[in-house]
Amino acid sequence: MKTSVFLAGLAVAGLAAAAASASTLSDVQKRGVLNCGVNTGLVGFGAPDANGHWTGFDVAMCRAVAAAVLGDSSKIKFVPTSGETRFTALQSGEIDMLARNSTWTFKRENDLKLTFVGVNYYDGQGFMVKKSLGVSSAKELGGATICVQTGTTTELNLADYFKQHNMQYTPISIKNDAEGKQQFLAGACDAYTTDASGLAALRATFEKPADYVILPEIISKEPLGPVVRQGDEQWASIVRWTLYALIEAEELGVTSKNLEELSKGTKNPELNRLLGSEDNLGGMIGLDKLWAKRAIAAGGNYGEIFEANIGTSTPIGLARGLNAQWNKGGLMYAIPFH
Amino acid sequence: MSDVTQAFHRSQMIPAREPPRSQRGAWKWMHENLFSSIGNGVITVVTIAIVLYIVTLSLPWFLHSVWNAKSLTECRTIIHATWGENAGGACWAVIHQNWNLYVFGFYPIAQYWRPTLAFVLLLVALMPILFSHMPRKMIWFSAVYPALAYWLIWGGTFWIAVTIMLGFVAGWLALRVATRLANAPLGVAAAVLAAVLWWLFAAGPVASGLQHLVPIRLPFVASDKLGGFLLAFIVGMCAIGFSLPMGILLSLGRRSDMPLIKTTSVVFIEFIRGVPLITLLFTASFLLAYFLPPGTTFDLVLRVIIMVTLFSAAYIAEVIRGGLAAIPRGQFEAADALGLTYWQAQRLIIMPQALKISIPGIVSTFIGLFKDTTLVIIVGLLDPLMGITNAVRASTLWNGIYWEPYIFSGVIFFIFCFGMSRYSMYLEGKLKTDHR
């Protein structure tokens, strides 16, 4: 089959008569590959290595879904998407799900007809300035020139914040972090603004990180999460509950190390339902009993994924903060598996 | 007075003296070229100042180059250790370490010989096209090269490449038979029909049948493994190769007397030229998925190649139309007077002249096209300039690198574009037959 991709393409263009798709789940299972939209390259969140193997915090989400649905976290095709094309790619069916640090907003969900299935990272927009500027609060940035990425929610947040505080500013539009860094270091702008996670990651790449400070104000809420198309509730459920399974696993203390042992059955009914030794939750979303177990086995629980990709042990060095479990002062709160 | 007789007479020639300093050597050259007027003098001084400024800024950076390191941090450590705490330097190690990524994208390492061989064969196939003193028989190799390259790069069974080529043979046979039985337009129609029918219905089964008999196959490599300069080359070369003939046909179509053909050509050219390439790529990538039945996979690289080809064909058509317009009316009339048919006249008299006139325009369209291949990042293909660089930067090892990948890509693109430009000048010189 694969040998005649070109001919198949020609043939298809000519006499298209394929059966209409029933659901995303059956499409993916028939295809045997999950098409997952990811960033073209964002440190810690999603990037290919020199051998084309994708890793990252968002990528791990794709892998968990592939493991739950197809039983193999490598049966996945990563489709790199830019800020402009990501939602179109999802709407057109080019990808089955999008895990590309996308902010959940009212308009994106209702105007673009997308479903954000949950939040896998709570971010917020911050500012970074040169220490020599002598600024210690974002409220002192009146009249500053500020580097901001185009086509993102950051632009809007920035305008809102300065309007709210009756301050003037001059925006300098940049295309990506690398360019922003260059402009900022060259002194083209007084402050650089993007998500706080991005600022921390960026500062870590500077030659003299100590010369720069990240201001304490977080001016926006940026709940980032995986996205699917509206209109296929079953598929949305699968992605949503895969995410919750990873979060729940951390709360219940299921890690990739003790997963095998715990899945044989424990005294905790909640844990048993999650791992499939009791009840049949997977059957209700069109999967088998062991879906969540496979999802967790793909890259560990939420906490493990966090630590491995963006946590304090990595060069990016993000603290859990808002992304800690709800009972540890964060906002990660899995819906119960009943 | 007899003073007159004492008038001075020189009895011997004085030796030639050197011209004054302002009229010789470097001074003269500078006076004529750099300081011929106050305005020029000012421009010279300012320009020299700017050049010096740029050189003093960038030279230390180039001199402090590091070629071997495992990460940006290591690069910086080496630079600081060698040239002092505040020194900055270029970290070319990023190219060195990611060389394979830049050249082949994510192509499987064990299969690198395939694109390399395809590239070498490309040079061989180009020889008889580019240089007239090569053996003429080599043109047959050039003709089968596209199918061969397709097989080498994507893999799969060898016979699919053969059956694709057989489609052209089927078309040619149909052309011969139908032209003999009926007339030329019908022959063209029959040729197209025969080729399309062959590709749609016969090529697949015949290929798998032959594969059963004589299995020759290479491991299949999916399109999403292509990237870097390999991708830029595939897209660029395919588009260049296909858009020239297509552009010639379109330019003839636009000058045709037949209303249907003329209208189609005009609408096509004006539509494609009026739309940015990014829009076309975007259409190819996402809008097609709305129109095609769900679940159909239509290779993305193929879609991109088609769109880039159409885009470039519209420009080529207009460039060649310019060449056609420059040919004196007498040439057309002479062809008619000789009793040549339309196609004979085009082939023997009109096109050789029109193409010769259009060479600079055609080549600059090709150069533009080759550079435009970097736009494929917009549809998520990893082009060498932005795509691969983004991916490299996103690894924690190289995060923070900026100029080096751009300079590297720029140099490679410059080499190829400059090569094309020099070739076009060579060709112009060779084909120069007038005595202007």
Side-chain angles (χ1 to χ4, degrees), chain A residues 57 105 126 264:
Chain A
F57 185 72
T105 66
K264 285 174 192 147

Side-chain angles (χ1 to χ4, degrees), chain A residues 24-268:
Chain A
T24 312
L25 176 62
S26 61
D27 279 352
V28 171
Q29 283 173 336
K30 207 185 297 167
R31 203 189 302 137
V33 169
L34 174 74
N35 291 336
C36 194
V38 289
N39 203 306
T40 47
L42 179 64
V43 192
F45 282 84
D49 66 10
N51 300 318
H53 183 80
W54 288 78
T55 51
F57 185 72
D58 279 334
V59 167
M61 185 65 214
C62 297
R63 291 200 184 279
V65 173
V69 174
L70 299 166
D72 185 345
S73 64
S74 64
K75 284 186 176 164
I76 195 161
K77 184 185 161 195
F78 291 102
V79 180
T81 55
S82 61
E84 291 87 6
T85 61
R86 52 184 164 178
F87 298 126
T88 323
L90 186 61
Q91 286 162 332
S92 68
E94 191 84 12
I95 54 180
D96 304 312
M97 62 174 284
L98 179 74
R100 191 200 175 278
N101 53 296
S102 303
T103 308
W104 187 356
T105 66
F106 184 94
K107 277 193 184 167
R108 280 181 181 172
E109 178 137 342
N110 298 302
D111 200 17
L112 298 178
K113 301 288 173 219
L114 301 170
T115 299
F116 284 77
V117 299
V119 177
N120 68 345
Y121 190 90
Y122 288 97
D123 215 333
Q125 188 177 338
F127 294 96
M128 176 160 54
V129 294
K130 273 201 183 89
K131 202 170 244 172
S132 56
L133 199 63
V135 171
S136 60
S137 155
K139 296 205 179 83
E140 298 166 27
L141 283 176
T145 48
I146 298 175
C147 284
V148 58
Q149 272 192 54
T150 52
T152 60
T153 46
T154 25
E155 243 177 335
L156 194 67
N157 297 332
L158 181 68
D160 283 357
Y161 182 80
F162 275 76
K163 206 171 180 183
Q164 203 182 333
H165 289 86
N166 275 326
M167 296 191 293
Q168 297 294 317
Y169 73 102
T170 315
I172 293 184
S173 292
I174 51 153
K175 184 120 180 53
N176 53 37
D177 260 343
E179 194 196 321
K181 177 202 146 185
Q182 207 59 27
Q183 297 278 26
F184 180 58
L185 287 184
C189 41
D190 302 321
Y192 183 56
T193 182
T194 188
D195 291 347
S197 65
L199 288 180
L202 192 65
R203 197 174 66 153
T205 70
F206 289 178
E207 274 198 88
K208 296 183 181 112
D211 289 359
Y212 301 87
V213 281
I214 294 174
L215 300 179
E217 281 87 354
I218 297 292
I219 64 165
S220 73
K221 291 181 285 186
E222 305 279 345
L224 313 180
V227 198
V228 297
R229 275 183 298 280
Q230 274 186 13
D232 190 344
E233 294 312 313
Q234 185 196 28
W235 181 249
S237 280
I238 290 172
V239 181
R240 173 178 300 124
W241 289 95
T242 305
L243 171 62
Y244 284 141
L246 298 178
I247 300 172
E248 181 78 359
E250 190 192 8
E251 190 184 338
L252 295 175
V254 184
T255 66
S256 46
K257 289 189 190 72
N258 62 16
L259 180 66
E260 279 305 322
E261 199 181 314
L262 292 178
S263 61
K264 285 174 192 147
T266 62
K267 284 183 194 156
N268 184 348

Side-chain angles (χ1 to χ4, degrees), chain B residues 359-433:
Chain B
I359 287 172
I362 293 176
V363 171
S364 64
T365 308
F366 284 164
I367 289 177
L369 165 72
F370 185 54
K371 290 187 294 183
D372 280 352
T373 56
T374 53
L375 290 176
V376 297
I377 180 68
I378 199 82
V379 294
L381 292 174
L382 295 179
D383 75 290
L385 186 66
M386 287 302 294
I388 296 289
T389 302
N390 241 346
V392 166
R393 257 195 221 123
S395 78
T396 44
L397 292 179
W398 298 110
N399 188 11
I401 202 121
Y402 190 75
W403 292 109
E404 294 85 341
Y406 287 147
I407 294 175
F408 169 68
S409 299
V411 167
I412 301 281
F413 271 106
F414 178 80
I415 290 172
F416 284 103
C417 293
F418 189 66
M420 281 194 248
S421 160
R422 298 309 295 187
Y423 172 75
S424 96
M425 289 172 79
Y426 154 82
L427 199 61
E428 272 175 68
K430 199 180 76 167
L431 296 180
K432 196 174 161 88
T433 49

